[in-house]
Amino acid sequence: MQRRNFLRNAGAIASFPFFLKGMSISALAESSLFDAVNNDSDRVLILVQLNGGNDGLNMLIPMDQYSKLFNARSEIIIPESKILSVAGSSLGFHPKMDGMRDLFQDGKLGIVQSVGYPNHNRSHFRSTEIWTTGSPSEEFWNTGWAGRYLDDSYPGFPQSYPNQDHPDPFAISMGYLVSDTCQGQAANFSLALTDPFGLRPLSESDSTAMDNSLYGMELDFLQSTISQTNSYGIRITDAAESGNNMVTYPDTDLAKQLKNVALLISGGMKTRIYTVNLGGFDTHAMQVDNGDKTEGRHADLLETLSGAIHAFQEDLRLLGIEDRVMGMTFSEFGRQIRSNGSSGSDHGTAAPLLLFGSCVNSQIMGDNPEIPANVEVQEGVPMQYDFRDVYGSILVDWFGMDMGQVGKMLHEDFQYLPLVSCSISAANDLTSAPPIEMDNYPNPFENWTTIRFKTASEWAKLSIFDAMGNELRVLTNQKLMEGEHEIRFDAGDLPAGNYYYRLLLKDRQRTKPMVKVR
């Protein structure tokens, strides 16, 4: 039996709410993410996973596209008069997300539009795996994006931990399973926790030297895991008893998870990554209440998300630690543009991603998705931003990782995004970069169209995507001279339908639609 599966099964059998999963001797490593970069930093990252595929078009509604959205999803779209508008923007929040809207207006929420990846996979399992590993869609990686970062910083993990200098777990997953995000080559750097006050020590056998047989190595692995688990349990209990909460949280499971995270941080835990989960987003049916489209399954989930994060952020403020903590939401995919006839929506592609905290750039990054006049069956929102660029930019600005190393660890086309206002890196603030000017003519077209755009003297990648999120062609991927450029797209071999072209430059990108009519 593989160690990964062994620990899954052992944890499920034991009547113990606090256990590990991984391929290693321990679930934790030598040091925290921040020790790996800046020993004086005590910053914390919260990952909020929205399991099931969140409908981004129902969470953040592009009001300038409302009439086209209404035509495509009239049975589930929020009434225009009920949308929570944002001053100076054509984007609006779902009416149940007043807490998040308030955070945005207070400068503590950032929005990244249309986040996804090329050749999007619509399987829950596979797409979740892609998001947690940071792999290309056609490759299978066995490490998480945060786990690789820690592996690179601390070769030899997990031997000799915890120790006097590093007594706390690197990462904590609130729940019964650790997050694959933190899976390293030899071990998962995360520890699963349900109740910080309900920990009980596991029985430890007598310390006996093991032989080098497979049985001996597995037994040594188990004994080491139990010993380290007990050591971390003591630290967690001490932090929970020393910590405090300053607000009353909503009575939801997500709010309870975040309440415990705030408690542990305030109690002195040096853990740098926490993962929390909210499930139920696979809203194929009854996404909305037919009598009131502001109510329903998705509305309840968004209210839970908004209320929990708003309370958490206020708790951090009153505790005086909000500048140390930032968070990010993610889901395996968005939903399709068209509703499905069952008061729901089916698996799609890109969706907005939220960043929260007093140190995030409170901005709407990217354009509202342009909704075609005739939305194809199964058509998803096209990608503007690659999710790996979000991860990498957080590693650079929040953790202080070298930008070149991020490109090697995630993907060679890494593009830095200015997401963090309290950066500890030397990365340039690129918020003043001018928007990309591009169009295509003719549009609609029959067999070909010419894409026109301007660049500085810089590297440029121009790709063509179909309505399912597949990258069909790369028209150019090279350094271009400064000036105007024209590239012909021959599409005589492609069926009629909606297509998208995406231009990626060093510090900007843009995605626009086009229509082939024959």
Side-chain angles (χ1 to χ4, degrees):
M1 178 182 293
Q2 293 183 347
R3 289 180 175 180
R4 181 193 300 267
N5 294 332
F6 171 76
L7 279 186
R8 280 187 187 272
N9 296 336
I13 294 170
S15 59
F16 185 69
F18 163 77
F19 55 87
L20 308 176
K21 179 205 68 139
M23 300 171 62
S24 68
I25 294 176
S26 166
L28 301 152
E30 172 178 340
S31 173
S32 71
L33 274 171
F34 299 95
D35 292 329
V37 178
N38 182 340
N39 290 329
D40 296 326
S41 175
D42 59 354
R43 292 181 168 191
V44 181
L45 176 66
I46 314 297
L47 301 175
V48 182
Q49 185 169 354
L50 310 179
N51 296 296
N54 178 42
D55 185 0
L57 290 173
N58 197 51
M59 180 178 75
L60 289 165
I61 300 95
M63 298 175 69
D64 60 340
Q65 305 289 310
Y66 190 85
S67 61
K68 294 178 181 178
L69 276 175
F70 186 88
N71 290 335
R73 47 168 51 204
S74 60
E75 64 174 331
I76 64 172
I77 195 169
I78 301 299
E80 191 169 10
S81 62
K82 301 292 186 180
I83 297 171
L84 299 179
S85 62
V86 176
S89 168
S90 59
L91 195 66
F93 286 88
H94 188 283
K96 296 290 186 178
M97 300 189 74
D98 54 316
M100 297 295 259
R101 198 267 300 266
D102 290 347
L103 285 179
F104 185 81
Q105 293 179 335
D106 290 343
K108 298 179 181 180
L109 186 77
I111 298 167
V112 186
Q113 293 271 41
S114 305
V115 182
Y117 54 88
N119 304 313
H120 213 292
N121 191 296
R122 295 186 178 186
S123 158
H124 290 294
F125 177 81
R126 177 59 187 144
S127 195
T128 297
E129 189 174 57
I130 291 167
W131 273 84
T132 55
T133 63
S135 74
S137 62
E138 66 277 7
E139 297 182 19
F140 292 82
W141 294 0
N142 60 6
T143 58
W145 65 275
R148 288 197 303 282
Y149 173 72
L150 291 169
D151 271 332
D152 184 67
S153 301
Y154 294 95
F157 166 80
Q159 300 291 344
S160 305
Y161 294 92
N163 57 41
Q164 183 175 355
D165 293 331
H166 307 289
D168 298 331
F170 286 122
I172 290 178
S173 297
M174 305 307 297
Y176 289 97
L177 291 174
V178 295
S179 172
D180 288 336
T181 297
C182 301
Q183 179 66 44
Q185 285 286 352
N188 195 300
F189 289 83
S190 184
L191 178 148
L193 173 66
T194 56
D195 180 5
F197 294 103
L199 305 182
R200 301 189 302 274
L202 295 171
S203 298
E204 298 187 44
S205 62
D206 295 334
S207 178
T208 303
M210 297 293 113
D211 58 34
N212 291 326
S213 67
L214 179 60
Y215 172 81
M217 289 188 290
E218 292 292 347
L219 187 57
D220 180 62
F221 161 67
L222 178 59
Q223 289 178 347
S224 298
T225 297
I226 290 173
S227 176
Q228 293 176 353
T229 296
N230 288 339
S231 296
Y232 290 126
I234 294 171
R235 289 285 299 144
I236 289 171
T237 298
D238 289 345
E241 293 177 346
S242 301
N244 195 14
N245 294 114
M246 303 295 288
V247 303
T248 300
Y249 282 76
D251 185 19
T252 64
D253 183 64
L254 178 63
K256 180 181 178 181
Q257 294 176 58
L258 289 173
K259 177 181 178 180
N260 284 332
V261 170
L263 182 74
L264 294 175
I265 297 172
S266 68
M269 286 289 293
K270 300 300 182 183
T271 298
R272 301 310 182 208
I273 298 179
Y274 292 85
T275 61
V276 299
N277 290 270
L278 177 61
F281 285 89
D282 197 20
T283 52
H284 290 282
M286 296 184 293
Q287 177 171 316
V288 301
D289 184 331
N290 288 330
D292 182 354
K293 294 183 177 63
T294 66
E295 302 289 344
R297 290 176 56 199
H298 196 238
D300 293 342
L301 291 167
L302 295 179
E303 183 176 25
T304 295
L305 176 69
S306 179
I309 290 179
H310 186 269
F312 177 70
Q313 195 62 45
E314 179 64 7
D315 201 7
L316 297 179
R317 185 187 71 82
L318 294 174
L319 289 166
I321 56 176
E322 66 174 340
D323 289 346
R324 292 176 48 203
V325 184
M326 73 169 290
M328 180 189 79
T329 68
F330 72 98
S331 191
E332 62 262 41
F333 42 66
R335 315 299 288 186
Q336 294 173 23
I337 299 174
R338 281 190 175 277
S339 53
N340 60 14
S342 299
S343 298
S345 54
D346 297 329
H347 300 180
T349 47
L353 180 150
L354 303 178
L355 300 154
F356 56 93
S358 60
C359 277
V360 304
N361 274 326
S362 188
Q363 61 185 339
I364 300 173
M365 179 172 285
D367 302 321
N368 285 349
E370 294 187 45
I371 306 301
N374 297 301
V375 177
E376 294 184 13
V377 175
Q378 297 189 344
E379 182 165 358
V381 174
M383 174 188 72
Q384 288 187 62
Y385 294 95
D386 194 305
F387 77 101
R388 294 168 294 182
D389 294 334
V390 176
Y391 290 168
S393 300
I394 291 173
L395 288 173
V396 169
D397 279 346
W398 194 242
F399 297 167
M401 188 177 183
D402 177 75
M403 198 178 296
Q405 286 298 108
V406 169
K408 294 176 182 178
M409 192 191 82
L410 288 169
H411 70 136
E412 61 182 11
D413 292 340
F414 168 66
Q415 181 188 64
Y416 169 77
L417 305 175
L419 304 175
V420 179
S421 61
C422 311
S423 173
I424 59 174
S425 77
N428 294 323
D429 184 354
L430 303 176
T431 55
S432 60
I436 291 176
E437 297 181 27
M438 67 177 189
D439 60 13
N440 71 296
Y441 182 83
N443 188 21
F445 63 95
E446 293 187 3
N447 292 316
W448 61 270
T449 186
T450 298
I451 300 171
R452 301 178 293 201
F453 58 94
K454 296 180 180 179
T455 70
S457 178
E458 60 186 322
W459 168 81
K461 180 179 180 181
L462 179 64
S463 301
I464 304 297
F465 291 81
D466 65 15
M468 294 288 288
N470 298 307
E471 187 177 42
L472 303 178
R473 295 177 191 170
V474 177
L475 301 184
T476 189
N477 188 10
Q478 61 182 320
K479 184 174 181 179
L480 299 178
M481 300 297 292
E482 181 178 3
E484 296 185 0
H485 308 277
E486 293 188 354
I487 296 180
R488 178 173 166 133
F489 169 47
D490 290 308
D493 60 331
L494 295 175
N498 296 327
Y499 294 89
Y500 296 86
Y501 55 105
R502 179 176 186 256
L503 180 63
L504 178 66
L505 304 178
K506 175 184 176 182
D507 54 5
R508 296 162 289 163
Q509 66 284 298
R510 192 174 182 189
T511 301
K512 293 195 69 175
M514 56 185 174
V515 181
K516 185 177 188 295
V517 293
R518 291 186 185 177

